[in-house]
Amino acid sequence: MALQVGGGHPQRLVEHALESSTSEQCIAIVEDTTSANLRWANNTLTTNGVMHAIDVTVIAFQGDGNASVSGTAASLEQVTALVASADRAATVADAAEDRAELVTGDAARNWDDPPGETSIEVFEDFAAQLGEAFAQADAESRILYGFVFHEVTTTYLGSSTGLLLRHVQPTGHYGCTAKNADLTNSAWVGGATRDFSDVDGARMASDLATRLSWGERRVDLPAGRYDTILPPSAVSDLMIDAYWSAGARNADDGQTIFSRPGGGTRIGEEMVNPGVRLYSDATYAGLECAPFVVAGGSSDRSSVYDNGFPLGATDWIRDGRLTSLIQTRHTAGPMGQPTTPAVDNVVLDIAGASGTEVDLVAGMEDGLLLTCMWYIREVDPQTMLLTGLTRDGVYRIEGGEITGAVNNFRYNESPIDLLNRYTHASKTVPSFSREWGDDFFSRTATPALRIPDFNMSSVSQAL
Amino acid sequence: MAQNEIDPTFLALPYQRLAQVALGRARDFGVSHADFRFERNRYQHFSVRDGALEGAQDAEDLGFAVRVILDGAWGFASGVALTESEAVTVAETAVTVAQVAAKMTSRPVVLAPEPVHEDVTWVSSYDVDPLAVPLAEKTGLFAGWTRDLLGAEGVDHATASLQQVHENKYYADLGGSSITQQRIRLEPHIEVHGADQKTGAFDSMRTIAPPVGRGWEYLTGDLFDFGTERAQLPELLREKLAAPSVHAGIYDLVIHPSNLWLTIHESIGHATELDRALGYEANYAGTSFATYDNLGTLAYGSPVMHVTGDRTTEHGLATVGFDDEGVEAQSWDIIRDGVLVGYQLDRQMAHTYGAQLNEGRSNGCAYADSPGHIPIQRMANVSLQPAADGPDTDGLISQVERGIYVVGDKSWSIDMQRYNFQFTAQRFFRIEDGQLKGQLRDVAYQATTTDFWGSMEAVGGPQTYQLGGAFNCGKAQPGQVAAVSHGSPSALFRDIRILNATEEGTA
């Protein structure tokens, strides 16, 4: 039941903007988004929603300056108003330090295709399974809390250079927390999906029951350094933080772990274990994302002049060596580097890794297996020291088997340091960050990593 | 303070007609409740670096939503086309969603009653709408500040930015309420960066100017002393770069409101949201140790601890006339004499718990951050009250033999039940025998909520009280952001665990 607006032809809004603008050059970006969600707690649905949004950004270029004006626009009249506002602002804009020739090109073959869409029906199978899971959880004294979300955004990007690009981006995820009746034992499962065809509510519920059974035996451990397996979700959390810190300008300005003491960046330096490859690839199977730059505004890591710039694969770290940082054309030139803008996915591969986190557990004599992390924040940019919590299941491993659940901990660790210290890694698999996957960054593939001395700084009483 | 009026360009939008159509269509289906919310939120953000503009963006979010209760289940839908046919479609979609939801809703939704507020208007307090000020004037002021800072000794780079928000909402429901509101808020950011040439260590120093519910006058008048603050930043940065690294251990802390607001936000504000205490956020933001069965008995902190919730403080970021369920703004006690006595509520929770908490009524904490999102319980301005004749900050510092004075917020993290937290700051000063003895580096304070507040020996007087706050408080699925203020005096805490962040990061 997607709500059709503007005749269902958002590309007309782009064309109208380009025709209406009186500025020397113009870029128009239309993002047509439909989304649906269900949320539950205490074995009952709590909130839900279906949404349709059309966001239009008009960037007008005049002389050395530009102006970016965005707004909700469902009609040609609203676009006309946005264009007039951008044109007006561009005539008095300050000079832009990142000014460059706009990206050129032709109309993409799929330009005239309609936008993709989703609706509440995408959850039809899942909702039925969830209803059954509620009944079973009630019967077996478990409590379920969770959320499913599906969104389809179609981006139409047009430029007065003649470039016309279209991209359809499905984004979806599911996550469910289960607790026992007295709220002393908690478990979580979650993942990303493009269309929900691969999400099985019954499997989700049974995995949660299994994990709660692991936690029936509770062991209290003090703060300290532990041999710890970070599952792909936890590694995803940490690699997203590392990726977000990888802006070239901030590194060059001396603000991050990627800054060279005395000035410049550490590109070219061996920073982590030689088996590490951290990269982005817009065509990575299952994590496909926009193959061109979409920039509503210029910042330390994006430039409106780069709109439409093609994105492929970029190695950020290869063979343990820092190979690239997030660059605009403006920052890349003076640094003598290729233009490597941000891509909307990130992948960590460890050379020679095989097996799964289950195999890592089987090979561990005495240690911990985490479920996921929470409330991760940067403490020190110089070392990229992060603090955060373990959440919803820290499991004790003895003799290669899970023997119980341990209290939660606050940790202090640097993702870059962990990439030097891991002793074992599993094969890379699609993963979902508990901390950042919901609203910011859901497209990751990561291995599980075993860290021999993970720093659990203090005990958290949270259950 | 000038009494401003609702922006005429908002008044010209067809929200009343769309409300009539949408609510009428919802009524056709026999809903027990329907509300209509129309919003236009305008944002302008710009950033400057070393005297030059880095980027500027204007954005506007315009649309409307219909929320219904049908057969005891919520249904919510939103749209962006400002036509009557779209209003009908969105209302019908909300009804369809409620029908789907009913199959999975095991406890019927009922709302606490609220008096009807018909045809009322509320506008926040400000002098100059920042979006009416030419962009070049604003970027010129900020670029000039960074240019001056760049010229100071030890400053390698200077950055600044300003986020400005102009929020208009119209709310109407089948009960007969119709409410039009306008709010203005600003968040300035100024920071200098430098490095120690000998060690290669780098660091930054940021202004402690809080975000506020004020207009452009905040940046040009004497409401905050930006001049002195800018003049001090380079020296504070040089001093920090040259400062000794802290010895980890147990210290007494005197915490300035520019830092303590965030500790209040995380360890009290979120912990006393009743939806968290009831488990609604268990899969995302988390729950709370301060569960409802502890009401009236939980020793949250020392007897000097008095915490209020309000949506009424002038210039507060969570301040409104009415919330997004048509409930009039109120203020109430959350912690009195160190004991938990209140929570933050919306109408659904007030139906079940309001009798004991607020005479059966919501205390007005429902908020949606955009027309496309459903209202949920969001944070009021949650504030620690000063002692009527309490000391000034120097008076608190004078009571410390060996301790640290903490100023300005930096990193923050707390667990999902709001027990264990860790914070850093812009500036940590060593206290020795009641005197400040220069800055320390690498400091982080870590504690458990009730231990921390239980160790609060004294709060400063009203002369130390300031509002801090943030624009980026996140909660709910799908995620929503909210702006909120927290008032606080300076306060003295005994025996707090201090970590050395560099040692923490060394394997």
Side-chain angles (χ1 to χ4, degrees), chain A residues 42 44 48 70 72 94 177 253 375 377 391 410 438 460 463, chain B residues 58 62 97 106-107 266 283-284 412-413 415 417 420 477:
Chain A
N42 302 318
T44 185
N48 56 58
S70 301
T72 308
D94 294 349
T177 301
D253 280 0
Y375 225 127
R377 293 293 182 274
R391 184 171 185 179
R410 167 173 300 289
D438 256 55
S460 155
L463 297 169
Chain B
D58 276 275
L62 173 69
V97 173
S106 51
R107 280 181 283 286
E266 299 291 9
N283 186 57
Y284 186 63
W412 70 100
S413 173
D415 72 36
Q417 219 173 337
N420 175 305
Q477 294 176 300

PDB file of all heavy atoms in Angstrom, chain A residues 42 44 48 70 72 94 177 253 375 377 391 410 438 460 463, chain B residues 58 62 97 106-107 266 283-284 412-413 415 417 420 477:
ATOM      1  N   ASN A  42       7.649  -7.016  25.707  1.00  0.00           N
ATOM      2  CA  ASN A  42       6.800  -7.764  26.635  1.00  0.00           C
ATOM      3  C   ASN A  42       5.795  -8.650  25.901  1.00  0.00           C
ATOM      4  O   ASN A  42       4.622  -8.745  26.281  1.00  0.00           O
ATOM      5  CB  ASN A  42       6.080  -6.798  27.590  1.00  0.00           C
ATOM      6  CG  ASN A  42       7.062  -5.948  28.372  1.00  0.00           C
ATOM      7  OD1 ASN A  42       8.090  -6.447  28.838  1.00  0.00           O
ATOM      8  ND2 ASN A  42       6.782  -4.662  28.504  1.00  0.00           N
ATOM      9  N   THR A  44       4.226  -8.297  23.165  1.00  0.00           N
ATOM     10  CA  THR A  44       3.113  -7.661  22.458  1.00  0.00           C
ATOM     11  C   THR A  44       3.668  -6.552  21.565  1.00  0.00           C
ATOM     12  O   THR A  44       4.726  -5.965  21.857  1.00  0.00           O
ATOM     13  CB  THR A  44       2.065  -7.092  23.445  1.00  0.00           C
ATOM     14  OG1 THR A  44       0.949  -6.592  22.695  1.00  0.00           O
ATOM     15  CG2 THR A  44       2.636  -5.961  24.287  1.00  0.00           C
ATOM     16  N   ASN A  48       4.351   0.896  15.492  1.00  0.00           N
ATOM     17  CA  ASN A  48       4.511   0.443  14.109  1.00  0.00           C
ATOM     18  C   ASN A  48       4.418   1.667  13.217  1.00  0.00           C
ATOM     19  O   ASN A  48       4.118   2.763  13.676  1.00  0.00           O
ATOM     20  CB  ASN A  48       3.406  -0.556  13.764  1.00  0.00           C
ATOM     21  CG  ASN A  48       2.025   0.042  13.991  1.00  0.00           C
ATOM     22  OD1 ASN A  48       1.689   1.059  13.402  1.00  0.00           O
ATOM     23  ND2 ASN A  48       1.246  -0.555  14.887  1.00  0.00           N
ATOM     24  N   SER A  70      17.649  21.822   0.870  1.00  0.00           N
ATOM     25  CA  SER A  70      16.912  20.558   0.831  1.00  0.00           C
ATOM     26  C   SER A  70      15.537  20.748   1.424  1.00  0.00           C
ATOM     27  O   SER A  70      15.342  21.580   2.301  1.00  0.00           O
ATOM     28  CB  SER A  70      17.622  19.481   1.653  1.00  0.00           C
ATOM     29  OG  SER A  70      18.905  19.260   1.168  1.00  0.00           O
ATOM     30  N   THR A  72      11.347  18.655   1.856  1.00  0.00           N
ATOM     31  CA  THR A  72      10.344  17.706   1.434  1.00  0.00           C
ATOM     32  C   THR A  72       9.639  18.339   0.239  1.00  0.00           C
ATOM     33  O   THR A  72       9.232  19.486   0.309  1.00  0.00           O
ATOM     34  CB  THR A  72       9.311  17.504   2.557  1.00  0.00           C
ATOM     35  OG1 THR A  72      10.014  17.189   3.743  1.00  0.00           O
ATOM     36  CG2 THR A  72       8.331  16.427   2.201  1.00  0.00           C
ATOM     37  N   ASP A  94      29.557  32.510   0.052  1.00  0.00           N
ATOM     38  CA  ASP A  94      31.012  32.637   0.201  1.00  0.00           C
ATOM     39  C   ASP A  94      31.692  31.705  -0.806  1.00  0.00           C
ATOM     40  O   ASP A  94      31.112  30.707  -1.232  1.00  0.00           O
ATOM     41  CB  ASP A  94      31.447  32.197   1.607  1.00  0.00           C
ATOM     42  CG  ASP A  94      30.908  33.121   2.690  1.00  0.00           C
ATOM     43  OD1 ASP A  94      30.389  34.193   2.339  1.00  0.00           O
ATOM     44  OD2 ASP A  94      31.004  32.753   3.881  1.00  0.00           O
ATOM     45  N   THR A 177      15.532  -9.187  21.392  1.00  0.00           N
ATOM     46  CA  THR A 177      16.114  -9.474  22.703  1.00  0.00           C
ATOM     47  C   THR A 177      15.137 -10.381  23.448  1.00  0.00           C
ATOM     48  O   THR A 177      13.925 -10.161  23.380  1.00  0.00           O
ATOM     49  CB  THR A 177      16.298  -8.164  23.495  1.00  0.00           C
ATOM     50  OG1 THR A 177      17.152  -7.312  22.745  1.00  0.00           O
ATOM     51  CG2 THR A 177      16.904  -8.422  24.866  1.00  0.00           C
ATOM     52  N   ASP A 253      45.113  16.924   9.310  1.00  0.00           N
ATOM     53  CA  ASP A 253      45.106  18.027  10.277  1.00  0.00           C
ATOM     54  C   ASP A 253      45.647  17.607  11.641  1.00  0.00           C
ATOM     55  O   ASP A 253      45.686  18.423  12.563  1.00  0.00           O
ATOM     56  CB  ASP A 253      43.676  18.560  10.472  1.00  0.00           C
ATOM     57  CG  ASP A 253      43.279  19.506   9.340  1.00  0.00           C
ATOM     58  OD1 ASP A 253      44.087  19.731   8.435  1.00  0.00           O
ATOM     59  OD2 ASP A 253      42.131  20.014   9.375  1.00  0.00           O
ATOM     60  N   TYR A 375      26.841   1.113  23.412  1.00  0.00           N
ATOM     61  CA  TYR A 375      27.227   2.455  23.856  1.00  0.00           C
ATOM     62  C   TYR A 375      28.728   2.683  23.700  1.00  0.00           C
ATOM     63  O   TYR A 375      29.447   2.990  24.643  1.00  0.00           O
ATOM     64  CB  TYR A 375      26.774   2.755  25.286  1.00  0.00           C
ATOM     65  CG  TYR A 375      26.165   4.137  25.379  1.00  0.00           C
ATOM     66  CD1 TYR A 375      24.912   4.377  25.916  1.00  0.00           C
ATOM     67  CD2 TYR A 375      26.870   5.233  24.864  1.00  0.00           C
ATOM     68  CE1 TYR A 375      24.362   5.643  25.947  1.00  0.00           C
ATOM     69  CE2 TYR A 375      26.325   6.492  24.886  1.00  0.00           C
ATOM     70  CZ  TYR A 375      25.073   6.692  25.440  1.00  0.00           C
ATOM     71  OH  TYR A 375      24.534   7.947  25.466  1.00  0.00           O
ATOM     72  N   ARG A 377      31.842   4.655  22.525  1.00  0.00           N
ATOM     73  CA  ARG A 377      32.219   6.054  22.287  1.00  0.00           C
ATOM     74  C   ARG A 377      33.739   6.187  22.325  1.00  0.00           C
ATOM     75  O   ARG A 377      34.425   5.458  23.026  1.00  0.00           O
ATOM     76  CB  ARG A 377      31.622   6.979  23.352  1.00  0.00           C
ATOM     77  CG  ARG A 377      30.118   7.085  23.318  1.00  0.00           C
ATOM     78  CD  ARG A 377      29.603   7.774  22.049  1.00  0.00           C
ATOM     79  NE  ARG A 377      28.156   7.917  22.056  1.00  0.00           N
ATOM     80  CZ  ARG A 377      27.296   6.989  21.642  1.00  0.00           C
ATOM     81  NH1 ARG A 377      27.732   5.835  21.185  1.00  0.00           N
ATOM     82  NH2 ARG A 377      25.992   7.223  21.677  1.00  0.00           N
ATOM     83  N   ARG A 391      26.915  -6.736  25.942  1.00  0.00           N
ATOM     84  CA  ARG A 391      25.451  -6.691  26.103  1.00  0.00           C
ATOM     85  C   ARG A 391      24.789  -8.013  25.731  1.00  0.00           C
ATOM     86  O   ARG A 391      25.200  -8.646  24.761  1.00  0.00           O
ATOM     87  CB  ARG A 391      24.883  -5.564  25.222  1.00  0.00           C
ATOM     88  CG  ARG A 391      23.377  -5.377  25.395  1.00  0.00           C
ATOM     89  CD  ARG A 391      22.869  -4.127  24.697  1.00  0.00           C
ATOM     90  NE  ARG A 391      21.443  -3.959  25.002  1.00  0.00           N
ATOM     91  CZ  ARG A 391      20.694  -2.969  24.563  1.00  0.00           C
ATOM     92  NH1 ARG A 391      21.222  -2.034  23.795  1.00  0.00           N
ATOM     93  NH2 ARG A 391      19.409  -2.890  24.875  1.00  0.00           N
ATOM     94  N   ARG A 410      32.328  -3.244  31.264  1.00  0.00           N
ATOM     95  CA  ARG A 410      32.751  -2.091  30.457  1.00  0.00           C
ATOM     96  C   ARG A 410      34.153  -2.395  29.953  1.00  0.00           C
ATOM     97  O   ARG A 410      35.001  -2.849  30.720  1.00  0.00           O
ATOM     98  CB  ARG A 410      32.784  -0.803  31.277  1.00  0.00           C
ATOM     99  CG  ARG A 410      33.521   0.351  30.552  1.00  0.00           C
ATOM    100  CD  ARG A 410      33.433   1.679  31.260  1.00  0.00           C
ATOM    101  NE  ARG A 410      32.055   2.103  31.402  1.00  0.00           N
ATOM    102  CZ  ARG A 410      31.282   2.512  30.390  1.00  0.00           C
ATOM    103  NH1 ARG A 410      31.778   2.589  29.159  1.00  0.00           N
ATOM    104  NH2 ARG A 410      30.028   2.851  30.600  1.00  0.00           N
ATOM    105  N   ASP A 438      21.256  -0.074  13.167  1.00  0.00           N
ATOM    106  CA  ASP A 438      19.862   0.351  13.051  1.00  0.00           C
ATOM    107  C   ASP A 438      19.680   1.588  12.186  1.00  0.00           C
ATOM    108  O   ASP A 438      18.841   1.606  11.298  1.00  0.00           O
ATOM    109  CB  ASP A 438      19.319   0.668  14.450  1.00  0.00           C
ATOM    110  CG  ASP A 438      18.408  -0.431  14.943  1.00  0.00           C
ATOM    111  OD1 ASP A 438      18.853  -1.583  14.970  1.00  0.00           O
ATOM    112  OD2 ASP A 438      17.251  -0.122  15.297  1.00  0.00           O
ATOM    113  N   SER A 460      29.891  -4.312  34.838  1.00  0.00           N
ATOM    114  CA  SER A 460      28.602  -3.626  34.755  1.00  0.00           C
ATOM    115  C   SER A 460      27.551  -4.533  35.374  1.00  0.00           C
ATOM    116  O   SER A 460      27.487  -5.719  35.066  1.00  0.00           O
ATOM    117  CB  SER A 460      28.250  -3.341  33.290  1.00  0.00           C
ATOM    118  OG  SER A 460      26.853  -3.224  33.143  1.00  0.00           O
ATOM    119  N   LEU A 463      21.850  -6.282  33.415  1.00  0.00           N
ATOM    120  CA  LEU A 463      21.487  -7.657  33.072  1.00  0.00           C
ATOM    121  C   LEU A 463      20.868  -7.711  31.681  1.00  0.00           C
ATOM    122  O   LEU A 463      20.292  -6.755  31.224  1.00  0.00           O
ATOM    123  CB  LEU A 463      20.491  -8.198  34.094  1.00  0.00           C
ATOM    124  CG  LEU A 463      21.050  -8.292  35.517  1.00  0.00           C
ATOM    125  CD1 LEU A 463      19.922  -8.574  36.499  1.00  0.00           C
ATOM    126  CD2 LEU A 463      22.100  -9.399  35.604  1.00  0.00           C
TER     127      LEU A 463
ATOM    128  N   ASP B  58      20.833  24.069   3.922  1.00  0.00           N
ATOM    129  CA  ASP B  58      19.487  24.343   4.413  1.00  0.00           C
ATOM    130  C   ASP B  58      18.646  23.103   4.187  1.00  0.00           C
ATOM    131  O   ASP B  58      18.727  22.495   3.118  1.00  0.00           O
ATOM    132  CB  ASP B  58      18.849  25.497   3.630  1.00  0.00           C
ATOM    133  CG  ASP B  58      19.268  26.841   4.177  1.00  0.00           C
ATOM    134  OD1 ASP B  58      18.636  27.308   5.133  1.00  0.00           O
ATOM    135  OD2 ASP B  58      20.240  27.406   3.632  1.00  0.00           O
ATOM    136  N   LEU B  62       8.887  18.456   5.946  1.00  0.00           N
ATOM    137  CA  LEU B  62       7.483  18.893   5.927  1.00  0.00           C
ATOM    138  C   LEU B  62       6.605  17.688   5.687  1.00  0.00           C
ATOM    139  O   LEU B  62       6.859  16.901   4.768  1.00  0.00           O
ATOM    140  CB  LEU B  62       7.303  19.927   4.798  1.00  0.00           C
ATOM    141  CG  LEU B  62       5.891  20.400   4.500  1.00  0.00           C
ATOM    142  CD1 LEU B  62       5.339  21.239   5.631  1.00  0.00           C
ATOM    143  CD2 LEU B  62       5.882  21.214   3.192  1.00  0.00           C
ATOM    144  N   VAL B  97      -2.798  -0.415   9.181  1.00  0.00           N
ATOM    145  CA  VAL B  97      -1.675  -0.822  10.024  1.00  0.00           C
ATOM    146  C   VAL B  97      -2.199  -1.264  11.393  1.00  0.00           C
ATOM    147  O   VAL B  97      -1.746  -2.261  11.959  1.00  0.00           O
ATOM    148  CB  VAL B  97      -0.642   0.317  10.147  1.00  0.00           C
ATOM    149  CG1 VAL B  97       0.435  -0.042  11.157  1.00  0.00           C
ATOM    150  CG2 VAL B  97      -0.009   0.610   8.790  1.00  0.00           C
ATOM    151  N   SER B 106      -1.384  -7.903  22.448  1.00  0.00           N
ATOM    152  CA  SER B 106      -2.078  -8.723  23.439  1.00  0.00           C
ATOM    153  C   SER B 106      -2.651  -7.894  24.585  1.00  0.00           C
ATOM    154  O   SER B 106      -3.493  -8.370  25.317  1.00  0.00           O
ATOM    155  CB  SER B 106      -1.145  -9.819  23.960  1.00  0.00           C
ATOM    156  OG  SER B 106       0.070  -9.260  24.374  1.00  0.00           O
ATOM    157  N   ARG B 107      -2.167  -6.638  24.751  1.00  0.00           N
ATOM    158  CA  ARG B 107      -2.738  -5.784  25.788  1.00  0.00           C
ATOM    159  C   ARG B 107      -3.260  -4.508  25.149  1.00  0.00           C
ATOM    160  O   ARG B 107      -2.485  -3.748  24.553  1.00  0.00           O
ATOM    161  CB  ARG B 107      -1.680  -5.454  26.841  1.00  0.00           C
ATOM    162  CG  ARG B 107      -1.486  -6.599  27.849  1.00  0.00           C
ATOM    163  CD  ARG B 107      -0.453  -6.269  28.909  1.00  0.00           C
ATOM    164  NE  ARG B 107       0.912  -6.378  28.405  1.00  0.00           N
ATOM    165  CZ  ARG B 107       1.538  -7.535  28.168  1.00  0.00           C
ATOM    166  NH1 ARG B 107       0.913  -8.683  28.347  1.00  0.00           N
ATOM    167  NH2 ARG B 107       2.780  -7.560  27.717  1.00  0.00           N
ATOM    168  N   GLU B 266      22.487  10.956  31.367  1.00  0.00           N
ATOM    169  CA  GLU B 266      22.635   9.517  31.167  1.00  0.00           C
ATOM    170  C   GLU B 266      22.191   8.706  32.378  1.00  0.00           C
ATOM    171  O   GLU B 266      21.568   7.656  32.230  1.00  0.00           O
ATOM    172  CB  GLU B 266      24.106   9.190  30.838  1.00  0.00           C
ATOM    173  CG  GLU B 266      24.638   9.852  29.569  1.00  0.00           C
ATOM    174  CD  GLU B 266      24.010   9.297  28.302  1.00  0.00           C
ATOM    175  OE1 GLU B 266      23.049   8.527  28.380  1.00  0.00           O
ATOM    176  OE2 GLU B 266      24.503   9.646  27.205  1.00  0.00           O
ATOM    177  N   ASN B 283      15.191  -3.779  23.632  1.00  0.00           N
ATOM    178  CA  ASN B 283      15.953  -4.235  22.461  1.00  0.00           C
ATOM    179  C   ASN B 283      16.853  -3.155  21.895  1.00  0.00           C
ATOM    180  O   ASN B 283      17.658  -3.423  21.018  1.00  0.00           O
ATOM    181  CB  ASN B 283      14.993  -4.712  21.373  1.00  0.00           C
ATOM    182  CG  ASN B 283      15.721  -5.322  20.192  1.00  0.00           C
ATOM    183  OD1 ASN B 283      16.482  -6.269  20.364  1.00  0.00           O
ATOM    184  ND2 ASN B 283      15.520  -4.759  19.004  1.00  0.00           N
ATOM    185  N   TYR B 284      16.721  -1.913  22.379  1.00  0.00           N
ATOM    186  CA  TYR B 284      17.530  -0.849  21.784  1.00  0.00           C
ATOM    187  C   TYR B 284      18.200   0.004  22.861  1.00  0.00           C
ATOM    188  O   TYR B 284      19.260  -0.367  23.353  1.00  0.00           O
ATOM    189  CB  TYR B 284      16.684  -0.004  20.822  1.00  0.00           C
ATOM    190  CG  TYR B 284      17.490   1.011  20.066  1.00  0.00           C
ATOM    191  CD1 TYR B 284      18.483   0.593  19.183  1.00  0.00           C
ATOM    192  CD2 TYR B 284      17.295   2.359  20.244  1.00  0.00           C
ATOM    193  CE1 TYR B 284      19.262   1.514  18.509  1.00  0.00           C
ATOM    194  CE2 TYR B 284      18.066   3.292  19.563  1.00  0.00           C
ATOM    195  CZ  TYR B 284      19.050   2.867  18.709  1.00  0.00           C
ATOM    196  OH  TYR B 284      19.821   3.784  18.045  1.00  0.00           O
ATOM    197  N   TRP B 412      31.324   9.949  26.480  1.00  0.00           N
ATOM    198  CA  TRP B 412      30.339   9.473  27.446  1.00  0.00           C
ATOM    199  C   TRP B 412      29.889   8.086  27.050  1.00  0.00           C
ATOM    200  O   TRP B 412      29.840   7.755  25.873  1.00  0.00           O
ATOM    201  CB  TRP B 412      29.148  10.439  27.463  1.00  0.00           C
ATOM    202  CG  TRP B 412      28.309  10.401  26.217  1.00  0.00           C
ATOM    203  CD1 TRP B 412      27.120   9.740  26.051  1.00  0.00           C
ATOM    204  CD2 TRP B 412      28.571  11.027  24.954  1.00  0.00           C
ATOM    205  NE1 TRP B 412      26.647   9.925  24.762  1.00  0.00           N
ATOM    206  CE2 TRP B 412      27.512  10.700  24.077  1.00  0.00           C
ATOM    207  CE3 TRP B 412      29.614  11.829  24.476  1.00  0.00           C
ATOM    208  CZ2 TRP B 412      27.462  11.151  22.752  1.00  0.00           C
ATOM    209  CZ3 TRP B 412      29.549  12.259  23.154  1.00  0.00           C
ATOM    210  CH2 TRP B 412      28.490  11.918  22.319  1.00  0.00           C
ATOM    211  N   SER B 413      29.596   7.264  28.040  1.00  0.00           N
ATOM    212  CA  SER B 413      29.096   5.918  27.770  1.00  0.00           C
ATOM    213  C   SER B 413      28.506   5.363  29.057  1.00  0.00           C
ATOM    214  O   SER B 413      29.057   5.558  30.135  1.00  0.00           O
ATOM    215  CB  SER B 413      30.247   5.035  27.279  1.00  0.00           C
ATOM    216  OG  SER B 413      29.821   3.684  27.159  1.00  0.00           O
ATOM    217  N   ASP B 415      25.869   1.880  30.605  1.00  0.00           N
ATOM    218  CA  ASP B 415      25.320   0.587  30.197  1.00  0.00           C
ATOM    219  C   ASP B 415      23.805   0.640  30.002  1.00  0.00           C
ATOM    220  O   ASP B 415      23.157   1.642  30.280  1.00  0.00           O
ATOM    221  CB  ASP B 415      25.758  -0.529  31.160  1.00  0.00           C
ATOM    222  CG  ASP B 415      25.072  -0.466  32.520  1.00  0.00           C
ATOM    223  OD1 ASP B 415      23.891  -0.099  32.606  1.00  0.00           O
ATOM    224  OD2 ASP B 415      25.745  -0.804  33.514  1.00  0.00           O
ATOM    225  N   GLN B 417      21.357  -0.667  31.461  1.00  0.00           N
ATOM    226  CA  GLN B 417      20.443  -0.552  32.597  1.00  0.00           C
ATOM    227  C   GLN B 417      20.779   0.684  33.437  1.00  0.00           C
ATOM    228  O   GLN B 417      20.228   0.890  34.503  1.00  0.00           O
ATOM    229  CB  GLN B 417      20.512  -1.835  33.444  1.00  0.00           C
ATOM    230  CG  GLN B 417      19.158  -2.261  33.965  1.00  0.00           C
ATOM    231  CD  GLN B 417      19.221  -3.615  34.664  1.00  0.00           C
ATOM    232  OE1 GLN B 417      20.111  -4.423  34.437  1.00  0.00           O
ATOM    233  NE2 GLN B 417      18.249  -3.857  35.520  1.00  0.00           N
ATOM    234  N   ASN B 420      26.579   1.414  35.083  1.00  0.00           N
ATOM    235  CA  ASN B 420      28.017   1.662  34.967  1.00  0.00           C
ATOM    236  C   ASN B 420      28.291   2.720  33.896  1.00  0.00           C
ATOM    237  O   ASN B 420      27.905   2.545  32.742  1.00  0.00           O
ATOM    238  CB  ASN B 420      28.704   0.346  34.587  1.00  0.00           C
ATOM    239  CG  ASN B 420      30.191   0.507  34.307  1.00  0.00           C
ATOM    240  OD1 ASN B 420      30.598   1.315  33.484  1.00  0.00           O
ATOM    241  ND2 ASN B 420      31.015  -0.279  34.988  1.00  0.00           N
ATOM    242  N   GLN B 477      13.134   2.775  18.034  1.00  0.00           N
ATOM    243  CA  GLN B 477      13.299   2.138  16.724  1.00  0.00           C
ATOM    244  C   GLN B 477      12.017   2.362  15.944  1.00  0.00           C
ATOM    245  O   GLN B 477      10.963   1.993  16.451  1.00  0.00           O
ATOM    246  CB  GLN B 477      13.559   0.647  16.914  1.00  0.00           C
ATOM    247  CG  GLN B 477      14.887   0.339  17.615  1.00  0.00           C
ATOM    248  CD  GLN B 477      15.070  -1.134  17.871  1.00  0.00           C
ATOM    249  OE1 GLN B 477      14.270  -1.747  18.562  1.00  0.00           O
ATOM    250  NE2 GLN B 477      16.113  -1.728  17.305  1.00  0.00           N
TER     251      GLN B 477
END
